PDB file of all heavy atoms in Angstrom:
ATOM      1  N   THR A   1       9.416  -9.405 -19.392  1.00  0.00           N
ATOM      2  CA  THR A   1       8.183 -10.203 -19.303  1.00  0.00           C
ATOM      3  C   THR A   1       7.668 -10.241 -17.883  1.00  0.00           C
ATOM      4  O   THR A   1       6.528 -10.578 -17.635  1.00  0.00           O
ATOM      5  CB  THR A   1       8.440 -11.650 -19.794  1.00  0.00           C
ATOM      6  OG1 THR A   1       9.468 -12.225 -19.009  1.00  0.00           O
ATOM      7  CG2 THR A   1       8.798 -11.650 -21.257  1.00  0.00           C
ATOM      8  N   PHE A   2       8.542  -9.881 -16.933  1.00  0.00           N
ATOM      9  CA  PHE A   2       8.147  -9.910 -15.515  1.00  0.00           C
ATOM     10  C   PHE A   2       7.551  -8.552 -15.134  1.00  0.00           C
ATOM     11  O   PHE A   2       8.230  -7.555 -15.185  1.00  0.00           O
ATOM     12  CB  PHE A   2       9.356 -10.258 -14.626  1.00  0.00           C
ATOM     13  CG  PHE A   2       9.013 -10.277 -13.179  1.00  0.00           C
ATOM     14  CD1 PHE A   2       8.301 -11.352 -12.642  1.00  0.00           C
ATOM     15  CD2 PHE A   2       9.406  -9.274 -12.318  1.00  0.00           C
ATOM     16  CE1 PHE A   2       7.991 -11.388 -11.301  1.00  0.00           C
ATOM     17  CE2 PHE A   2       9.111  -9.295 -10.972  1.00  0.00           C
ATOM     18  CZ  PHE A   2       8.385 -10.364 -10.483  1.00  0.00           C
ATOM     19  N   SER A   3       6.336  -8.531 -14.734  1.00  0.00           N
ATOM     20  CA  SER A   3       5.710  -7.271 -14.286  1.00  0.00           C
ATOM     21  C   SER A   3       4.882  -7.582 -13.062  1.00  0.00           C
ATOM     22  O   SER A   3       3.776  -8.141 -13.178  1.00  0.00           O
ATOM     23  CB  SER A   3       4.884  -6.648 -15.398  1.00  0.00           C
ATOM     24  OG  SER A   3       3.881  -7.539 -15.777  1.00  0.00           O
ATOM     25  N   PRO A   4       5.433  -7.271 -11.853  1.00  0.00           N
ATOM     26  CA  PRO A   4       4.654  -7.591 -10.640  1.00  0.00           C
ATOM     27  C   PRO A   4       3.471  -6.684 -10.484  1.00  0.00           C
ATOM     28  O   PRO A   4       3.467  -5.533 -11.004  1.00  0.00           O
ATOM     29  CB  PRO A   4       5.679  -7.379  -9.543  1.00  0.00           C
ATOM     30  CG  PRO A   4       6.636  -6.404 -10.106  1.00  0.00           C
ATOM     31  CD  PRO A   4       6.703  -6.650 -11.590  1.00  0.00           C
ATOM     32  N   LYS A   5       2.498  -7.133  -9.754  1.00  0.00           N
ATOM     33  CA  LYS A   5       1.304  -6.336  -9.528  1.00  0.00           C
ATOM     34  C   LYS A   5       1.645  -5.305  -8.443  1.00  0.00           C
ATOM     35  O   LYS A   5       2.433  -5.556  -7.549  1.00  0.00           O
ATOM     36  CB  LYS A   5       0.168  -7.217  -9.059  1.00  0.00           C
ATOM     37  CG  LYS A   5      -0.313  -8.165 -10.092  1.00  0.00           C
ATOM     38  CD  LYS A   5      -1.499  -8.988  -9.530  1.00  0.00           C
ATOM     39  CE  LYS A   5      -1.977  -9.978 -10.554  1.00  0.00           C
ATOM     40  NZ  LYS A   5      -3.061 -10.827 -10.038  1.00  0.00           N
ATOM     41  N   LYS A   6       1.032  -4.135  -8.546  1.00  0.00           N
ATOM     42  CA  LYS A   6       1.227  -3.117  -7.534  1.00  0.00           C
ATOM     43  C   LYS A   6       0.486  -3.489  -6.278  1.00  0.00           C
ATOM     44  O   LYS A   6      -0.636  -4.026  -6.339  1.00  0.00           O
ATOM     45  CB  LYS A   6       0.705  -1.771  -8.049  1.00  0.00           C
ATOM     46  CG  LYS A   6       1.601  -1.156  -9.094  1.00  0.00           C
ATOM     47  CD  LYS A   6       1.145   0.265  -9.361  1.00  0.00           C
ATOM     48  CE  LYS A   6       2.099   0.945 -10.310  1.00  0.00           C
ATOM     49  NZ  LYS A   6       1.713   2.324 -10.566  1.00  0.00           N
ATOM     50  N   THR A   7       1.097  -3.173  -5.137  1.00  0.00           N
ATOM     51  CA  THR A   7       0.439  -3.464  -3.857  1.00  0.00           C
ATOM     52  C   THR A   7      -0.552  -2.378  -3.574  1.00  0.00           C
ATOM     53  O   THR A   7      -0.334  -1.197  -3.864  1.00  0.00           O
ATOM     54  CB  THR A   7       1.471  -3.542  -2.715  1.00  0.00           C
ATOM     55  OG1 THR A   7       2.170  -2.316  -2.660  1.00  0.00           O
ATOM     56  CG2 THR A   7       2.439  -4.670  -2.934  1.00  0.00           C
ATOM     57  N   PRO A   8      -1.667  -2.717  -2.976  1.00  0.00           N
ATOM     58  CA  PRO A   8      -2.659  -1.695  -2.676  1.00  0.00           C
ATOM     59  C   PRO A   8      -2.179  -0.788  -1.533  1.00  0.00           C
ATOM     60  O   PRO A   8      -1.450  -1.244  -0.634  1.00  0.00           O
ATOM     61  CB  PRO A   8      -3.886  -2.519  -2.242  1.00  0.00           C
ATOM     62  CG  PRO A   8      -3.341  -3.827  -1.809  1.00  0.00           C
ATOM     63  CD  PRO A   8      -2.097  -4.052  -2.605  1.00  0.00           C
ATOM     64  N   PRO A   9      -2.496   0.496  -1.539  1.00  0.00           N
ATOM     65  CA  PRO A   9      -2.057   1.401  -0.473  1.00  0.00           C
ATOM     66  C   PRO A   9      -2.694   1.036   0.849  1.00  0.00           C
ATOM     67  O   PRO A   9      -3.783   0.510   0.917  1.00  0.00           O
ATOM     68  CB  PRO A   9      -2.485   2.767  -0.959  1.00  0.00           C
ATOM     69  CG  PRO A   9      -3.588   2.509  -1.907  1.00  0.00           C
ATOM     70  CD  PRO A   9      -3.323   1.146  -2.510  1.00  0.00           C
ATOM     71  N   ARG A  10      -1.932   1.326   1.924  1.00  0.00           N
ATOM     72  CA  ARG A  10      -2.448   1.041   3.271  1.00  0.00           C
ATOM     73  C   ARG A  10      -3.538   2.065   3.612  1.00  0.00           C
ATOM     74  O   ARG A  10      -3.491   3.231   3.194  1.00  0.00           O
ATOM     75  CB  ARG A  10      -1.329   1.217   4.287  1.00  0.00           C
ATOM     76  CG  ARG A  10      -0.351   0.086   4.272  1.00  0.00           C
ATOM     77  CD  ARG A  10       0.616   0.274   5.425  1.00  0.00           C
ATOM     78  NE  ARG A  10       1.404  -0.932   5.597  1.00  0.00           N
ATOM     79  CZ  ARG A  10       2.325  -1.063   6.518  1.00  0.00           C
ATOM     80  NH1 ARG A  10       2.587  -0.069   7.347  1.00  0.00           N
ATOM     81  NH2 ARG A  10       3.004  -2.183   6.622  1.00  0.00           N
ATOM     82  N   LYS A  11      -4.444   1.595   4.437  1.00  0.00           N
ATOM     83  CA  LYS A  11      -5.526   2.491   4.846  1.00  0.00           C
ATOM     84  C   LYS A  11      -5.072   3.427   5.963  1.00  0.00           C
ATOM     85  O   LYS A  11      -5.395   4.592   5.986  1.00  0.00           O
ATOM     86  CB  LYS A  11      -6.749   1.680   5.276  1.00  0.00           C
ATOM     87  CG  LYS A  11      -7.383   0.903   4.152  1.00  0.00           C
ATOM     88  CD  LYS A  11      -8.598   0.168   4.616  1.00  0.00           C
ATOM     89  CE  LYS A  11      -9.198  -0.612   3.438  1.00  0.00           C
ATOM     90  NZ  LYS A  11     -10.323  -1.432   3.867  1.00  0.00           N
ATOM     91  N   PHE A  12      -4.261   2.886   6.912  1.00  0.00           N
ATOM     92  CA  PHE A  12      -3.770   3.688   8.021  1.00  0.00           C
ATOM     93  C   PHE A  12      -2.264   3.574   8.053  1.00  0.00           C
ATOM     94  O   PHE A  12      -1.684   2.510   7.795  1.00  0.00           O
ATOM     95  CB  PHE A  12      -4.339   3.201   9.352  1.00  0.00           C
ATOM     96  CG  PHE A  12      -5.816   3.396   9.458  1.00  0.00           C
ATOM     97  CD1 PHE A  12      -6.674   2.318   9.332  1.00  0.00           C
ATOM     98  CD2 PHE A  12      -6.340   4.653   9.696  1.00  0.00           C
ATOM     99  CE1 PHE A  12      -8.044   2.516   9.442  1.00  0.00           C
ATOM    100  CE2 PHE A  12      -7.699   4.847   9.784  1.00  0.00           C
ATOM    101  CZ  PHE A  12      -8.568   3.755   9.682  1.00  0.00           C
ATOM    102  N   ALA A  13      -1.566   4.659   8.423  1.00  0.00           N
ATOM    103  CA  ALA A  13      -0.115   4.654   8.514  1.00  0.00           C
ATOM    104  C   ALA A  13       0.337   3.769   9.647  1.00  0.00           C
ATOM    105  O   ALA A  13       1.366   3.107   9.584  1.00  0.00           O
ATOM    106  CB  ALA A  13       0.428   6.063   8.694  1.00  0.00           C
ATOM    107  N   SER A  14      -0.443   3.722  10.735  1.00  0.00           N
ATOM    108  CA  SER A  14      -0.096   2.927  11.869  1.00  0.00           C
ATOM    109  C   SER A  14      -1.343   2.210  12.371  1.00  0.00           C
ATOM    110  O   SER A  14      -2.415   2.782  12.393  1.00  0.00           O
ATOM    111  CB  SER A  14       0.496   3.796  12.983  1.00  0.00           C
ATOM    112  OG  SER A  14       0.685   3.027  14.118  1.00  0.00           O
ATOM    113  N   LEU A  15      -1.166   0.968  12.747  1.00  0.00           N
ATOM    114  CA  LEU A  15      -2.303   0.199  13.296  1.00  0.00           C
ATOM    115  C   LEU A  15      -2.459   0.476  14.792  1.00  0.00           C
ATOM    116  O   LEU A  15      -3.466   0.085  15.386  1.00  0.00           O
ATOM    117  CB  LEU A  15      -2.090  -1.277  13.034  1.00  0.00           C
ATOM    118  CG  LEU A  15      -2.052  -1.690  11.566  1.00  0.00           C
ATOM    119  CD1 LEU A  15      -1.752  -3.180  11.421  1.00  0.00           C
ATOM    120  CD2 LEU A  15      -3.329  -1.327  10.871  1.00  0.00           C
ATOM    121  N   SER A  16      -1.482   1.140  15.395  1.00  0.00           N
ATOM    122  CA  SER A  16      -1.538   1.444  16.804  1.00  0.00           C
ATOM    123  C   SER A  16      -2.370   2.691  17.055  1.00  0.00           C
ATOM    124  O   SER A  16      -2.351   3.628  16.246  1.00  0.00           O
ATOM    125  CB  SER A  16      -0.128   1.650  17.361  1.00  0.00           C
ATOM    126  OG  SER A  16      -0.189   2.116  18.666  1.00  0.00           O
ATOM    127  N   ASN A  17      -3.083   2.709  18.146  1.00  0.00           N
ATOM    128  CA  ASN A  17      -3.845   3.898  18.467  1.00  0.00           C
ATOM    129  C   ASN A  17      -3.085   4.861  19.355  1.00  0.00           C
ATOM    130  O   ASN A  17      -3.665   5.827  19.839  1.00  0.00           O
ATOM    131  CB  ASN A  17      -5.187   3.511  19.103  1.00  0.00           C
ATOM    132  CG  ASN A  17      -5.012   2.770  20.410  1.00  0.00           C
ATOM    133  OD1 ASN A  17      -3.865   2.512  20.823  1.00  0.00           O
ATOM    134  ND2 ASN A  17      -6.109   2.419  21.041  1.00  0.00           N
ATOM    135  N   LEU A  18      -1.794   4.626  19.577  1.00  0.00           N
ATOM    136  CA  LEU A  18      -0.979   5.517  20.422  1.00  0.00           C
ATOM    137  C   LEU A  18      -0.805   6.877  19.807  1.00  0.00           C
ATOM    138  O   LEU A  18      -0.710   7.880  20.480  1.00  0.00           O
ATOM    139  CB  LEU A  18       0.380   4.886  20.707  1.00  0.00           C
ATOM    140  CG  LEU A  18       0.405   3.644  21.588  1.00  0.00           C
ATOM    141  CD1 LEU A  18       1.802   3.146  21.720  1.00  0.00           C
ATOM    142  CD2 LEU A  18      -0.196   3.945  22.940  1.00  0.00           C
ATOM    143  N   ASN A  19      -0.784   6.904  18.463  1.00  0.00           N
ATOM    144  CA  ASN A  19      -0.584   8.230  17.826  1.00  0.00           C
ATOM    145  C   ASN A  19      -1.839   9.070  17.929  1.00  0.00           C
ATOM    146  O   ASN A  19      -1.757  10.284  17.676  1.00  0.00           O
ATOM    147  CB  ASN A  19      -0.160   8.062  16.380  1.00  0.00           C
ATOM    148  CG  ASN A  19      -1.202   7.304  15.569  1.00  0.00           C
ATOM    149  OD1 ASN A  19      -2.108   6.696  16.126  1.00  0.00           O
ATOM    150  ND2 ASN A  19      -1.045   7.326  14.235  1.00  0.00           N
ATOM    151  N   LEU A  20      -2.952   8.488  18.272  1.00  0.00           N
ATOM    152  CA  LEU A  20      -4.174   9.264  18.422  1.00  0.00           C
ATOM    153  C   LEU A  20      -4.285   9.915  19.768  1.00  0.00           C
ATOM    154  O   LEU A  20      -5.102  10.828  19.978  1.00  0.00           O
ATOM    155  CB  LEU A  20      -5.402   8.397  18.173  1.00  0.00           C
ATOM    156  CG  LEU A  20      -5.451   7.697  16.787  1.00  0.00           C
ATOM    157  CD1 LEU A  20      -6.636   6.754  16.709  1.00  0.00           C
ATOM    158  CD2 LEU A  20      -5.512   8.736  15.673  1.00  0.00           C
ATOM    159  N   LEU A  21      -3.504   9.418  20.748  1.00  0.00           N
ATOM    160  CA  LEU A  21      -3.554   9.949  22.113  1.00  0.00           C
ATOM    161  C   LEU A  21      -2.650  11.148  22.262  1.00  0.00           C
ATOM    162  O   LEU A  21      -1.591  11.214  21.646  1.00  0.00           O
ATOM    163  CB  LEU A  21      -3.123   8.870  23.119  1.00  0.00           C
ATOM    164  CG  LEU A  21      -3.957   7.580  23.116  1.00  0.00           C
ATOM    165  CD1 LEU A  21      -3.334   6.583  24.074  1.00  0.00           C
ATOM    166  CD2 LEU A  21      -5.392   7.881  23.549  1.00  0.00           C
ATOM    167  N   ASP A  22      -3.011  12.063  23.094  1.00  0.00           N
ATOM    168  CA  ASP A  22      -2.128  13.201  23.379  1.00  0.00           C
ATOM    169  C   ASP A  22      -1.058  12.784  24.402  1.00  0.00           C
ATOM    170  O   ASP A  22      -1.147  11.718  24.989  1.00  0.00           O
ATOM    171  CB  ASP A  22      -2.908  14.411  23.881  1.00  0.00           C
ATOM    172  CG  ASP A  22      -3.621  14.149  25.194  1.00  0.00           C
ATOM    173  OD1 ASP A  22      -4.628  13.379  25.158  1.00  0.00           O
ATOM    174  OD2 ASP A  22      -3.174  14.695  26.195  1.00  0.00           O
ATOM    175  N   ARG A  23      -0.077  13.615  24.634  1.00  0.00           N
ATOM    176  CA  ARG A  23       1.082  13.254  25.460  1.00  0.00           C
ATOM    177  C   ARG A  23       0.665  12.910  26.877  1.00  0.00           C
ATOM    178  O   ARG A  23       1.162  11.950  27.435  1.00  0.00           O
ATOM    179  CB  ARG A  23       2.059  14.440  25.455  1.00  0.00           C
ATOM    180  CG  ARG A  23       3.284  14.107  26.289  1.00  0.00           C
ATOM    181  CD  ARG A  23       4.248  15.273  26.303  1.00  0.00           C
ATOM    182  NE  ARG A  23       5.290  15.006  27.284  1.00  0.00           N
ATOM    183  CZ  ARG A  23       6.560  15.260  27.107  1.00  0.00           C
ATOM    184  NH1 ARG A  23       6.961  15.810  26.006  1.00  0.00           N
ATOM    185  NH2 ARG A  23       7.426  15.014  28.050  1.00  0.00           N
ATOM    186  N   SER A  24      -0.196  13.703  27.492  1.00  0.00           N
ATOM    187  CA  SER A  24      -0.550  13.442  28.889  1.00  0.00           C
ATOM    188  C   SER A  24      -1.278  12.109  29.016  1.00  0.00           C
ATOM    189  O   SER A  24      -1.041  11.352  29.968  1.00  0.00           O
ATOM    190  CB  SER A  24      -1.391  14.564  29.457  1.00  0.00           C
ATOM    191  OG  SER A  24      -2.591  14.694  28.716  1.00  0.00           O
ATOM    192  N   THR A  25      -2.142  11.747  28.077  1.00  0.00           N
ATOM    193  CA  THR A  25      -2.837  10.490  28.104  1.00  0.00           C
ATOM    194  C   THR A  25      -1.857   9.341  27.929  1.00  0.00           C
ATOM    195  O   THR A  25      -1.959   8.320  28.600  1.00  0.00           O
ATOM    196  CB  THR A  25      -3.921  10.445  27.022  1.00  0.00           C
ATOM    197  OG1 THR A  25      -4.728  11.607  27.105  1.00  0.00           O
ATOM    198  CG2 THR A  25      -4.788   9.219  27.189  1.00  0.00           C
TER     199      THR A  25
END
C-alpha cells in the first residue's frame, strides 16, 4: 500500500560553476 512519489530529476548535476571553468582559470 506504500508507494512513494518519484523525485523530479535535477536540472544541473552541480550547482557550482567551477566545472564550467577550464584548469588555468
Side-chain angles (χ1 to χ4, degrees):
T1 58
F2 179 75
S3 60
K5 294 181 181 178
K6 287 189 173 181
T7 58
R10 287 185 168 179
K11 293 181 181 178
F12 294 105
S14 174
L15 297 176
S16 172
N17 62 358
L18 292 178
N19 60 347
L20 302 175
L21 300 175
D22 63 288
R23 181 181 171 139
S24 61
T25 310

